[in-house]
Amino acid sequence: EKNLDADICSSTPLYPQNFSPLLMLKAGLVGCGFIGTTFHLPAWEQVNNAKIIAICDQGQSKAYEVASSLNIQAYISLSEMLSNAKLDIVDICTPNSSHFRLIVEALENDCLVIVEKPITTKAEELDRISKIAKLVNKKVMIWKLPQLKKNLNLQLLWNWR
């Protein structure tokens, strides 16, 4: 039986091989609910070389409310956000059942992915995510809430060897 919470990239850092520490990475947050607004957004504010530049949520009023408070762009779907914002990272804070579709879409649009635990609810989806990530040479990072705040900056500052 597979561990659906396994981190498929735990031994490798997040940044690409040609990463410069002076480069500012652009991130988009998917999901403006409690987890996204209470834990993920504050963690991103502490990251020195990456920032949230766009958010999306199915609830249009919630997305626009949060975006206006941060002076960033709001969208109602990940597809719309990926089409309009040049993102390096997608941070997924949505219900577990939506993770698979959103992860695949982000990977297929050349983005690194951060996703709340669990990565998915089905073993076969985990296999597909792993294959797609390897195919497009992108990483998927899985974080539990207590780890997020203290690890986000460290992971984003770690260069590939």
Side-chain angles (χ1 to χ4, degrees), residues 1-159:
E1 181 176 326
K2 291 188 184 266
N3 177 356
L4 297 184
D5 295 331
D7 186 343
I8 62 175
C9 64
S10 61
S11 63
T12 58
L14 186 62
Y15 279 147
Q17 202 165 18
N18 61 352
F19 172 73
S20 163
L22 302 176
L23 178 68
M24 179 63 74
L25 295 177
K26 298 173 199 154
L29 181 75
V30 183
C32 295
F34 180 77
I35 299 295
T37 58
T38 305
F39 297 102
H40 286 247
L41 284 176
W44 280 105
E45 290 173 7
Q46 298 177 23
V47 177
N48 299 324
N49 57 332
K51 66 179 181 176
I52 296 287
I53 65 160
I55 58 166
C56 71
D57 194 279
Q58 290 179 354
Q60 186 174 5
S61 61
K62 183 66 173 172
Y64 286 103
E65 174 189 328
V66 174
S68 66
S69 72
L70 299 171
N71 198 28
I72 60 175
Q73 190 64 45
Y75 302 96
I76 58 169
S77 71
L78 177 57
S79 298
E80 182 187 18
M81 185 166 71
L82 290 168
S83 293
N84 293 290
K86 176 61 179 142
L87 300 176
D88 302 298
I89 303 168
V90 171
D91 184 1
I92 300 171
C93 307
T94 59
N96 301 342
S97 61
S98 67
H99 288 181
F100 174 72
R101 176 183 58 80
L102 296 170
I103 291 168
V104 169
E105 186 174 357
L107 289 171
E108 289 177 342
N109 281 274
D110 202 33
C111 291
L112 303 163
V113 178
I114 295 171
V115 63
E116 264 300 320
K117 179 182 177 180
I119 186 171
T120 186
T121 56
K122 299 176 184 170
E124 58 272 10
E125 291 177 349
L126 181 60
D127 287 338
R128 285 203 49 216
I129 289 168
S130 181
K131 288 175 185 170
I132 293 167
K134 287 177 185 172
L135 181 67
V136 299
N137 196 30
K138 293 295 177 187
K139 302 297 178 194
V140 176
M141 305 293 290
I142 305 160
W143 279 327
K144 296 183 280 185
L145 280 175
Q147 297 172 328
L148 180 67
K149 190 173 181 180
K150 66 181 178 183
N151 288 341
L152 186 56
N153 212 28
L154 295 175
Q155 288 291 336
L156 291 175
L157 291 173
W158 188 341
N159 292 327

